[in-house]
Amino acid sequence: MDLAALFPGRRALFFPTVGSTNDLARELASRGAPEGTLVVADEQTAGRGRLGRRWLAPAGTSILLSVLYRPAWTTSEAFRLTMACSLGTAEAVKAITGLEARIKWPNDILVNGKKVGGILAELGWEGERLSYAVVGLGLNVNWDVTTCPEIARTATSLSIEAKKPIDRQGLLKAIVEAVDRCYALCLSGKSEELRGDWERHLDTLNKIVTIETEAGRVQGQALGVDAEGALLVRDGQGQAQRITVGDVVVSSGL
Ligand code: BTN
């Protein structure tokens, strides 16, 4: 893939095969690579998901990318990057395929209720401040996921939902541009606008959810997300709970 033509003026590296684009971007970060460095691969041999899971994608079927950021933020502001990446991806999916993409807190991208993509943000910090952040996106584009028993029940791809093959390169360009726009909102002091847009794309909102957290199981109604991206849930006792890490299972709509 000719990334120089697709993203003129940007440090952008393409690999037919790589271990993990996130690992490579972190290595580049430690060697001083600049803000906005983009790593794209056709295939990963050690793709990683959240919570230590694997990320599976046959060669040439998906969008597998990582972007390196160096914002002058504290670590508590870093969730904005996940917001920018998932919202930008949802907007680009809509623009290129016409499909309505929704976001499942904290980092999944859904189409028609099934997972089509995920974000993995990894941070390097010095004290309270970020020294870098790498945000990785895996998106199932032209892939019959029903042939992969591990994910067949819960996942989908854009080609399955659109019932036609998708222009992967056009989508990649649209995603990177849309994510850049969302990130620029934060840099210009409009992160509240980003949070509001992100919340409107959130599939989890107003639903009864169960979340497995390190401190135990929380069940209740998802009310919204705060500025740091934490999910706000009213539990069965009417108490507000603030969830920062966990896996959400949606039980019902309201
Ligand atoms: C998740 O849903 O758990 C997050 C998945 C993130 C996968 C992407 S693929 C590109 C980048 N490189 C990786 O190793 N992981 C992310």
Side-chain angles (χ1 to χ4, degrees):
M1 209 180 279
D2 184 2
L3 294 191
L6 222 46
F7 306 108
R10 185 176 199 134
R11 176 118 192 249
L13 308 171
F14 171 73
F15 298 86
T17 302
V18 78
S20 149
T21 57
N22 263 37
D23 288 349
L24 194 64
R26 290 169 71 182
E27 199 180 310
L28 292 169
S30 70
R31 289 200 250 128
E35 157 110 344
T37 298
L38 173 67
V39 180
V40 179
D42 253 351
E43 180 183 30
Q44 296 182 122
T45 53
R48 294 183 291 105
R50 252 177 89 240
L51 308 173
R53 296 175 188 136
R54 292 191 303 160
W55 185 262
L56 302 170
T61 63
S62 299
I63 286 179
L64 306 167
L65 66 81
S66 300
V67 185
L68 167 64
Y69 296 97
R70 295 186 181 280
W73 293 347
T74 62
T75 47
S76 65
E77 293 166 314
F79 192 76
R80 294 170 184 174
L81 294 168
T82 294
M83 287 183 178
C85 191
S86 46
L87 182 62
T89 302
E91 288 176 353
V93 164
K94 172 78 181 169
I96 299 292
T97 68
L99 295 167
E100 256 349 299
R102 307 281 295 160
I103 297 166
K104 180 181 168 199
W105 186 92
N107 73 323
D108 288 351
I109 298 165
L110 309 180
V111 172
N112 295 330
K114 287 190 162 185
K115 180 161 173 167
V116 74
I119 313 283
L120 178 66
E122 297 182 297
L123 312 179
W125 58 84
E126 280 157 14
E128 270 299 286
R129 303 208 75 82
L130 283 179
S131 61
Y132 73 83
V134 165
V135 182
L137 166 70
L139 186 66
N140 305 332
V141 183
N142 294 315
W143 180 22
D144 181 4
V145 294
T146 59
T147 59
C148 183
E150 223 174 305
I151 59 171
R153 208 177 47 82
T154 53
T156 190
S157 70
L158 297 177
S159 61
I160 291 178
E161 299 304 324
K163 300 184 178 62
K164 60 177 187 202
I166 307 297
D167 166 17
R168 209 162 49 106
Q169 194 159 305
L171 180 60
L172 170 67
K173 186 170 167 61
I175 288 173
V176 172
E177 288 173 357
V179 172
D180 279 354
R181 279 196 303 277
C182 291
Y183 178 55
L185 276 182
C186 301
L187 294 184
S188 59
K190 295 186 186 151
S191 24
E192 186 45 33
E193 203 174 299
L194 174 71
R195 194 199 59 77
D197 269 2
W198 194 76
E199 208 175 51
R200 278 187 284 283
H201 278 75
L202 211 53
D203 200 58
T204 321
L205 227 54
N206 293 326
K207 296 193 170 152
I208 300 296
V209 293
T210 306
I211 306 135
E212 304 293 346
T213 74
E214 277 183 350
R217 176 177 294 185
V218 175
Q219 193 166 42
Q221 183 187 1
L223 302 175
V225 285
D226 69 14
E228 291 178 19
L231 186 66
L232 307 172
V233 175
R234 190 189 302 118
D235 69 16
Q237 287 72 48
Q239 299 290 317
Q241 301 269 355
R242 184 175 180 274
I243 315 290
T244 54
V245 188
D247 262 343
V248 171
V249 177
V250 174
S251 333
S252 72
L254 283 178

